[in-house]
Amino acid sequence: NKYNNFIFYVHNFSKFDVVFLYNVLLKANQNKGFEYYNLKPVLRDNNIIKLTVKKKLNINSKNFIKITFLDSLNLLNNSLKNLALDFNVEHKKGLFPYNFVSKNNLNYIGNKPDKFFFNQISDLEYDKIENKDWNLKLNCLTYLESDLRSLLDVMNEFSSKLFINFNTQMTNALTITRLAFNIFFDNYYKIKQIPLINKSYLFNFIKEAFYGGITEVYIPHGHNLVAIDVNSIYPKESMNPLPGLNCVYLESFDQKGLNLDELFGFFLAKIKTNDQYVGLLPIHDKETLICPNGEFIGIWSSEELKFAKEHGYLVTVIKGYNFNKIPSVFKEYVLNLYNLKSNATGSLRTIAKSLLNNLIGRFGLNWLKPITDIVNETKRDYIAATRTINSHKLLSDNKYLLTYNPSISKKICEEHHLDFLKVLEKETNKNIEKHLDIFKDVSIAIPAMVTSYARISMNKIKLFILKNGGKIFYTDTDSLVIDRDSLHLILQFIGNDLGQFKIEHYIKEGFFISNKTYCLVLDNDQIVIKSKGVINSKLTLDDFKNMYFKQQNVIAIKNDTKTLYDKGSVILSTKTVNLNQDVYKKREKIFNKEGLWVDTKPLNFNNFKNT
């Protein structure tokens, strides 16, 4: 009772601790034969980010006591070890040989386990551990206590800095995006000018123009390179003009289309490219994002269409939504946070950086809040036949934890041979649709426009480098790898200011096998390896040489975690996977006479006739 209304933060709660906790509480309810504990989860991206546990004071009482569990990882997205170092707190995360523990050695006392059993431990850290009379149970308890104290120190420091510097409470938000959102609205948003997008037809149209960053391989191998990236690209681009409150639907029935020069918003357009080396407009193709040449139809921001037209694309605007143009409402927030980040150290710098980078994305949430519910099999099947299910977890016999979109899907109903209109009528009679929970403060037009500005900005620098004889090897959302001879071309763009480039690496040799899969040998012979979905430390330079020069697939290792809510267990293991050397398909590969991949060009794409 003394913890009534307390909030408990658990680091990585969503993917680990909640699995055990939920199972134990469900079993307690089953053993008692009634809902002794009332469990209310909140899910996001298929993970439980909040769990409220309520219990009646006594069986006849109408009053409850409750405690709430939150995932601190959603506020501070880093490992607890790194956070303790960044925040310079008194208690640091300890060291423990996770892989040494088994059900057969829980009472082990003897020589310390081999270094192999520890994760990411240095020789110096390992040497400091006493070798004899190493007690597994005692070390486990010590490790757990240091974990808790470290997290408590970090959260106290985080909470204190937020209150002192931003006059906001940590406990008022579940995620860092919501926290940034609260700070912006409470301290910076003086004149209400952001258009709230809370109509399905408008949201769905603009969503088609909401593309992410471009990640592409241009030249797969090179020597004497340099990697550069932008200082806070999305915050910088959010200071450009934005869509305002006035929105008008426009459509042209003329072959010339709408006058693009007079538009500001999001529009369906016919495109014919002019064979640029760098594709200037993204489209979705087979669940990936490509920037092709050819003829195609899609939806983009007016500003991205104007940029493409300026560089030779033929653009015919058919229809779309035109907004009034307003000065950015984020300028003061961005400049203040960037200045704070640039001049601060330790925890305050980490917090300012996170708040700076996590505001804009919050506006892109679907205006309809997903529903989270514990249901039986019959209701689960009905929901699956009428709606999109975002997450599905088996809790126990005939109990499922679902998160699903509240709106009825005509497509899904038809796939299950249900009459869409009858389903709609049935639920309308029950007033289900009238009680839908919505976000009243979202605007997908904001991040859709900001991300388009960011792509324009990156394409400008790419075209500038190519026009002046430089070479581009690899690009990500806010970074480029170019030949070192081109560095003098962009010195004017390098600096510490917002939106300027900074030099990340000087590279002796680079291998770029696919997007998010590359190996860099730096000038100091340090090797940087990134490969999406597998354990980077298990790959070697020779693996990348074999993939590139010999065109051989290599064996990689990935973590294989199985979460079983019904059994209350998380199975942590690894498995081997085949890393395909020919996986990159976003651009067409160009080979030399010896059959070695040396360059790329945009795919030729045509959906003009089929749309």
Side-chain angles (χ1 to χ4, degrees), residues 146-173:
S146 68
D147 237 32
L148 295 174
R149 291 189 181 279
S150 179
L151 181 58
L152 178 61
D153 288 350
V154 166
M155 299 308 286
N156 277 334
E157 175 74 4
F158 182 53
S159 177
S160 174
K161 287 288 195 294
L162 284 174
F163 187 75
I164 293 170
N165 292 278
F166 305 103
N167 192 31
T168 192
Q169 294 286 355
M170 171 183 73
T171 52
N172 288 340

Side-chain angles (χ1 to χ4, degrees), residues 296-310:
F296 45 88
I297 290 180
I299 301 174
W300 297 272
S301 78
S302 56
E303 307 315 281
E304 210 159 6
L305 289 171
K306 290 173 187 175
F307 180 76
K309 184 179 178 181
E310 288 170 9

Side-chain angles (χ1 to χ4, degrees), residues 387-404:
R387 293 166 169 83
T388 300
I389 293 180
N390 300 325
S391 69
H392 174 283
K393 302 182 189 301
L394 174 64
L395 298 177
S396 61
D397 291 342
N398 202 29
K399 277 202 172 184
Y400 300 86
L401 178 63
L402 298 186
T403 300
Y404 57 94

Side-chain angles (χ1 to χ4, degrees), residues 248-259:
V248 179
Y249 175 76
L250 301 175
E251 184 170 3
S252 171
F253 298 96
D254 190 284
Q255 286 187 347
K256 293 180 180 179
L258 298 169
N259 186 351

Side-chain angles (χ1 to χ4, degrees), residues 194-207 243-244 247 266 323 363 365-368 439-446:
I194 294 175
L196 301 182
I197 309 298
N198 52 15
K199 299 294 183 184
S200 291
Y201 61 87
L202 186 56
F203 176 88
N204 292 334
F205 188 92
I206 298 176
K207 186 180 178 182
C247 176
F266 305 92
F323 291 81
F363 288 92
L365 291 178
N366 193 325
W367 68 284
L368 279 176
F439 286 109
K440 298 179 180 179
D441 49 14
V442 295
S443 178
I444 196 170
I446 299 301

Side-chain angles (χ1 to χ4, degrees), residues 569-587:
S569 68
V570 178
I571 301 172
L572 303 174
S573 60
T574 59
K575 68 178 182 180
T576 58
V577 293
N578 202 34
L579 206 58
N580 186 355
Q581 55 84 25
D582 192 34
V583 70
Y584 185 67
K585 305 293 184 183
K586 296 177 73 172
R587 288 170 65 87

Side-chain angles (χ1 to χ4, degrees), residues 205-217:
F205 188 92
I206 298 176
K207 186 180 178 182
E208 291 298 312
F210 187 9
Y211 305 95
I214 305 301
T215 305
E216 301 214 275
V217 176

